[in-house]
C-alpha cells in the first residue's frame, strides 16, 4: 500500500491543464494503484492525478459498488440537471451545492489503453464531472451556488 500526498487548494498545480496519457505502462499502473489506496484512505468519492501532483489526464471514481479508472476521459453526453452538495479532498472543510448534469456518459481508456464508455447518474455522474474538471484545472468551489457550513 502506497499513499500519496494530496495537494491542497492554493497550490498552482491544481489550476493547470493536464496532458493526455500516451504510455499505458507500469508507471501508470503504479500511479492508479497508489491513487486507489489514497482515495480509500481519505474516504473520498474520486481523485484526479493533479491532486497527487501528476499532470496527466487520469482520474478514479468510487461511488458505492462502482469503481472506475478513467484515462483521457471525456464527457460525450449529458442529460438533466441536479443541484447537490459537493466537497473535494483538496479543499477540506468546504462544502457547497453545485449544479451538474443528472446523467452523463463518459468515454475513456482503461489502464491498458482500451477504450470504454461508462454511464452514471446522480452521485456517480457528479463524481465523473468533478474529477474530469480537475484535469482542466477547474475546482468545484468555482461552481458553488450555496456554501454549507460544516461544524
Ligand atoms: Co476534487
Amino acid at each position: 500500500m502506497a499513499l500519496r500526498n494530496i495537494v491542497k487548494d492554493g497550490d498552482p498545480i491544481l489550476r493547470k491543464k493536464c496532458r493526455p496519457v500516451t504510455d499505458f505502462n507500469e508507471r501508470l499502473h503504479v500511479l492508479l494503484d497508489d491513487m486507489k489506496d489514497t482515495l480509500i484512505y481519505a474516504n473520498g468519492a474520486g481523485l484526479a492525478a493533479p491532486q497527487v501532483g501528476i499532470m496527466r489526464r487520469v482520474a478514479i471514481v468510487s461511488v458505492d459498488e462502482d469503481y472506475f479508472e478513467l484515462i483521457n476521459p471525456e464527457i460525450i453526453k449529458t442529460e438533466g440537471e441536479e443541484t447537490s452538495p459537493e466537497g473535494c479532498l483538496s479543499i477540506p472543510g468546504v462544502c457547497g451545492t453545485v449544479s451538474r448534469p443528472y446523467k452523463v456518459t463518459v468515454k475513456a481508456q482503461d489502464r491498458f489503453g482500451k477504450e470504454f464508455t461508462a454511464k452514471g447518474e446522480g452521485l456517480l455522474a457528479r463524481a465523473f464531472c468533478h474529477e474530469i474538471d480537475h484535469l482542466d484545472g477547474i475546482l468545484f468551489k468555482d461552481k458553488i451556488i450555496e456554501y454549507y457550513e460544516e461544524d
Side-chain angles (χ1 to χ4, degrees):
M1 175 151 171
L3 297 178
R4 303 231 182 169
N5 207 29
I6 297 178
V7 173
K8 296 298 188 302
D9 187 26
D11 190 318
I13 212 163
L14 292 175
R15 291 305 191 174
K16 291 185 178 150
K17 197 172 160 71
C18 296
R19 297 183 301 277
V21 170
T22 51
D23 295 327
F24 294 82
N25 53 19
E26 180 62 21
R27 196 172 172 163
L28 173 69
H29 298 176
V30 169
L31 171 65
L32 286 162
D33 293 343
D34 287 357
M35 284 173 65
K36 186 179 187 182
D37 289 342
T38 306
L39 181 63
I40 291 167
Y41 183 77
N43 197 26
L47 190 66
Q51 292 182 277
V52 293
I54 305 294
M55 304 312 300
R56 292 285 178 177
R57 304 190 77 80
V58 174
I60 59 172
V61 165
S62 175
V63 173
D64 299 325
E65 298 304 303
D66 294 315
Y67 177 72
F68 294 93
E69 295 179 345
L70 306 167
I71 318 299
N72 301 325
E74 280 175 64
I75 292 168
I76 55 170
K77 192 180 170 198
T78 67
E79 216 181 307
E81 193 185 331
E82 186 178 60
T83 302
S84 284
E86 220 168 281
C88 179
L89 294 174
S90 290
I91 317 175
V94 174
C95 184
T97 55
V98 176
S99 177
R100 302 281 191 189
Y102 182 67
K103 289 184 185 180
V104 303
T105 305
V106 175
K107 185 179 85 172
Q109 285 164 282
D110 70 11
R111 59 165 63 202
F112 304 104
K114 190 173 186 297
E115 223 174 68
F116 68 95
T117 58
K119 288 181 183 184
E121 57 181 72
L123 185 56
L124 183 56
R126 179 168 299 278
F128 284 148
C129 294
H130 179 118
E131 300 314 325
I132 292 171
D133 270 356
H134 271 298
L135 306 181
D136 291 314
I138 299 163
L139 299 176
F140 93 102
K141 69 171 193 175
D142 305 341
K143 299 182 169 181
I144 288 177
I145 294 166
E146 191 182 356
Y147 280 88
Y148 270 45
E149 288 294 329
E150 279 192 329
D151 303 317

